Amino acid sequence: EPEVTQTPSHQVTQMGQEVILRCVPISNHLYFYWYRQILGQKVEFLVSFYNNEISEKSEIFDDQFSVERPDGSNFTLKIRSTKLEDSAMYFCASRADSLNYGYTFGSGTRLTVV
Amino acid sequence: AQTVTQSQPEMSVQEAETVTLSCTYDTSESNYYLFWYKQPPSRQMILVIRQEAYKQQNATENRFSVNFQKAAKSFSLKISDSQLGDTAMYFCAPLLYNQGGKLIFGQGTELSVKP
């Protein structure tokens, strides 16, 4: 069964450093998403991406965040200057054109900012 | 704003028993999809079951079934013959057309299945 692949599984970074979280969506999917889950809290929408541009972003997704699809297969989330409160699990997801099957999620990247 | 409410932060059930997790949501749309996702301790997000809002028949997937009440905007998950591997956080998540196909998650219900 096709999978969404996320790397790394765990990233530890110093406060103020830049991090790039990587995702390889399912190949025939057209819509891509990043979600965040702070430990013990709900899963929060960050951004959606379609046709090589952001289609929607949440209030969390400020100027410190950016996304891109650099080569037609990878989908990356960059945090320019990490803060302690960015520590969370970050999930990438993709879906096909039809909403019927929902999203396929990656296994997540646990980001720890120290 | 669209909201999703899971009113049971934690639940427990004995192995082999049946448990029902509740979810209510708010939307003005008439057509949408509803999903339950399971998040075990590994924190992977796994699709459990889905329901199309225009279908009156409740979805069933092996031991998992839903009770979908469209007028009440209620979407509960029933787990029959609970197994230890069902221990996980369960999230209810509507997927709405006018939200750009964005999944909106409830707060989650942490289910413990006890031997």
Side-chain angles (χ1 to χ4, degrees):
Chain A
E1 190 161 329
E3 290 184 342
V4 174
T5 304
Q6 286 189 247
T7 55
S9 57
H10 191 188
Q11 172 100 40
V12 181
T13 188
Q14 295 274 344
M15 189 169 56
Q17 294 296 303
E18 174 183 286
V19 294
I20 297 176
L21 310 183
R22 303 181 190 279
C23 170
V24 180
I26 292 174
S27 60
N28 63 348
H29 282 185
L30 303 176
Y31 297 82
F32 313 113
Y33 303 86
W34 284 100
Y35 282 76
R36 178 179 84 173
Q37 184 183 32
I38 295 172
L39 187 62
Q41 298 187 26
K42 67 188 292 185
V43 182
E44 301 172 294
F45 168 77
L46 290 178
V47 66
S48 57
F49 192 86
Y50 171 71
N51 200 24
N52 284 321
E53 61 182 23
I54 291 173
S55 45
E56 186 177 353
K57 58 185 180 180
S58 72
E59 292 177 353
I60 302 167
F61 195 89
D62 61 22
D63 292 344
Q64 293 299 312
F65 292 87
S66 63
V67 290
E68 64 175 1
R69 191 160 158 78
D71 57 11
S73 62
N74 290 285
F75 179 51
T76 62
L77 174 69
K78 182 192 292 185
I79 309 175
R80 288 190 184 79
S81 178
T82 50
K83 309 184 199 62
L84 294 176
E85 54 265 36
D86 293 327
S87 295
M89 195 78 163
Y90 288 80
F91 291 100
C92 172
S94 68
R95 69 169 178 89
D97 194 32
S98 167
L99 295 177
N100 186 34
Y101 296 99
Y103 295 5
T104 302
F105 282 87
S107 53
T109 293
R110 185 189 301 268
L111 176 66
T112 303
V113 182
V114 297
Chain B
Q2 312 293 343
T3 60
V4 184
T5 301
Q6 293 180 247
S7 59
Q8 306 145 314
E10 297 177 0
M11 294 191 73
S12 66
V13 63
Q14 291 296 126
E15 199 174 5
E17 297 293 308
T18 295
V19 64
T20 299
L21 281 56
S22 66
C23 172
T24 59
Y25 56 94
D26 177 33
T27 182
S28 56
E29 293 187 31
S30 60
N31 194 22
Y32 47 91
Y33 296 88
L34 295 155
F35 299 88
W36 279 96
Y37 281 88
K38 167 185 175 181
Q39 189 180 40
S42 66
R43 300 193 75 182
Q44 173 93 32
M45 202 68 76
I46 301 166
L47 177 64
V48 175
I49 197 165
R50 62 174 178 260
Q51 174 79 41
E52 297 167 61
Y54 64 88
K55 287 188 177 178
Q56 292 185 338
Q57 186 173 3
N58 289 321
T60 299
E61 193 74 41
N62 300 315
R63 298 182 294 106
F64 299 88
S65 61
V66 300
N67 183 3
F68 173 48
Q69 302 290 327
K70 190 173 183 179
K73 296 178 184 173
S74 168
F75 182 59
S76 60
L77 174 69
K78 185 171 84 171
I79 306 174
S80 304
D81 185 26
S82 298
Q83 299 176 0
L84 297 178
D86 295 333
T87 293
M89 183 74 90
Y90 287 81
F91 292 99
C92 170
L95 199 162
L96 308 172
Y97 284 102
N98 74 356
Q99 293 285 317
K102 182 174 68 184
L103 267 178
I104 303 166
F105 285 85
Q107 307 94 316
T109 295
E110 187 161 8
L111 176 67
S112 297
V113 180
K114 301 190 183 303

